[in-house]
Amino acid sequence: MNLVEIDRALRKLRLSGMADVLEIRVQGASSARQPHVDFLSTLVGDELQRRQDRLLARRIKEAGFRDNGKSLDAFDLDFNKKMNRQLVYELATARFVEQREDVLFLGAPGTGKSHLAQALGLAAIQQGHREAHVLLEEMSDATLEGRRKEVMAELATMPLLIIDDLGMRKLPTTAAEDLLELIMRRYERVSTLLTSNRPVEDWSKLLGDNAAVSALLDRLLHHAHVLQCGPRSWRTHNAASLTKDSNSK
């Protein structure tokens, strides 16, 4: 078989990672007089890397992140020096997912909760875990669309579920019921990361159901890592900087 035929055969076998670099690898092996085993090992490595990259890209897409640029490297931990950075780095190892523990990020709007939540979700995906990023309102939408049972079953088994911005928007009347059912089904089975701009003491008012919130917090906080974000707001800081720059011109 010549290179064209080999390329065609590799693609038929769904080995495009090999096919895409075949000619380059052949030329390199010939120039370096590379042993056959080393040449084959390099080609196999190319295929494995391609598949790993595709799997990572697919899982990031499935996660439903609001902004794919929110990584831990892009988060300035020095901005809020009192933030527990040791806990942040520990969570970034994703061991809490393996140990089926929960995480709660609390703090005022603009203090980086959503950024950190997504960064940890991305870190978990890079370490082989599946993750979903949702808003509480989306569960209510699923109910209206007749998909509640299907959506709830999927979310209940997701290895890491990020529920973002609890308290940022007006919640539907079913929010307490939906959230309690979800947390109860996930409790000690899989990990949940929840962000909120309200202290847990205010959740009863927010969700409008004291009994449900009490049961929810009992389970959520049992094996939870709690991170207080802030107190400084990124958005307030950036707005002040823009105003200062504008006035200086």
Side-chain angles (χ1 to χ4, degrees):
M1 297 175 71
N2 58 35
L3 283 181
V4 173
E5 293 171 328
I6 294 174
D7 181 279
R8 188 179 300 119
L10 288 173
R11 295 187 187 281
K12 190 173 183 179
L13 291 168
R14 298 183 178 179
L15 297 172
S16 59
M18 290 184 175
D20 288 346
V21 297
L22 177 62
E23 186 173 355
I24 294 174
R25 292 304 187 194
V26 168
Q27 292 174 354
S30 177
S31 298
R33 297 182 180 180
Q34 190 176 30
H36 294 165
V37 171
D38 291 346
F39 166 68
L40 182 58
S41 175
T42 302
L43 266 185
V44 171
D46 291 330
E47 180 64 35
L48 290 175
Q49 186 61 53
R50 171 66 67 86
R51 295 192 178 197
Q52 182 178 344
D53 291 344
R54 284 180 174 175
L55 176 61
L56 180 62
R58 184 168 69 250
R59 285 184 170 171
I60 290 175
K61 183 178 180 180
E62 290 173 349
F65 291 133
R66 272 60 180 173
D67 183 348
N68 289 331
K70 303 296 186 182
S71 66
L72 191 57
D73 289 340
F75 189 85
D76 183 5
L77 286 167
D78 289 329
F79 182 70
N80 278 304
K81 296 184 181 298
K82 292 184 178 181
M83 186 178 291
N84 188 345
R85 66 175 60 204
Q86 182 177 351
L87 176 57
V88 172
Y89 285 121
E90 172 59 29
L91 293 173
T93 67
R95 278 194 285 265
F96 76 96
V97 180
E98 298 168 4
Q99 295 168 2
R100 302 172 184 178
E101 298 170 337
D102 298 322
V103 179
L104 185 58
F105 288 170
L106 300 172
T111 52
K113 301 181 300 299
S114 294
H115 185 145
L116 276 179
Q118 182 167 301
L120 295 184
L122 180 60
I125 289 175
Q126 291 170 336
Q127 292 169 71
H129 302 287
R130 291 177 61 240
E131 187 266 342
H133 189 265
V134 301
L135 299 175
L136 198 54
E137 299 92 309
E138 293 173 11
M139 285 184 268
S140 178
D141 293 340
T143 300
L144 295 175
E145 295 167 5
R147 300 183 298 109
R148 186 182 192 279
K149 184 177 180 180
E150 173 190 344
V151 170
M152 192 66 74
E154 180 182 0
L155 296 181
T157 58
M158 187 66 59
L160 174 60
L161 177 66
I162 296 177
I163 303 174
D164 204 7
D165 279 345
L166 178 63
M168 184 64 72
R169 303 169 180 82
K170 183 178 180 179
L171 296 176
T173 55
T174 60
E177 177 185 348
D178 290 339
L179 189 55
L180 175 59
E181 179 182 345
L182 191 56
I183 295 301
M184 287 182 67
R185 293 177 66 169
R186 295 178 59 81
Y187 176 59
E188 293 188 329
R189 294 183 177 89
V190 280
S191 296
T192 303
L193 192 162
L194 193 149
T195 78
S196 178
N197 66 352
R198 303 282 191 89
V200 293
E201 295 82 6
D202 289 351
W203 285 16
S204 293
K205 296 178 182 177
L206 176 66
L207 295 168
D209 189 328
N210 291 342
V213 170
S214 178
L216 162 68
L217 290 175
D218 181 62
R219 289 162 177 79
L220 184 63
L221 296 176
H222 186 200
H223 304 294
H225 302 277
V226 180
L227 180 70
Q228 189 68 44
C229 298
R232 300 171 66 198
S233 167
W234 286 92
R235 283 193 283 271
T236 301
H237 173 73
N238 290 337
S241 297
L242 290 173
T243 301
K244 182 178 180 181
D245 291 343
S246 176
N247 292 336
S248 64
K249 292 180 181 180

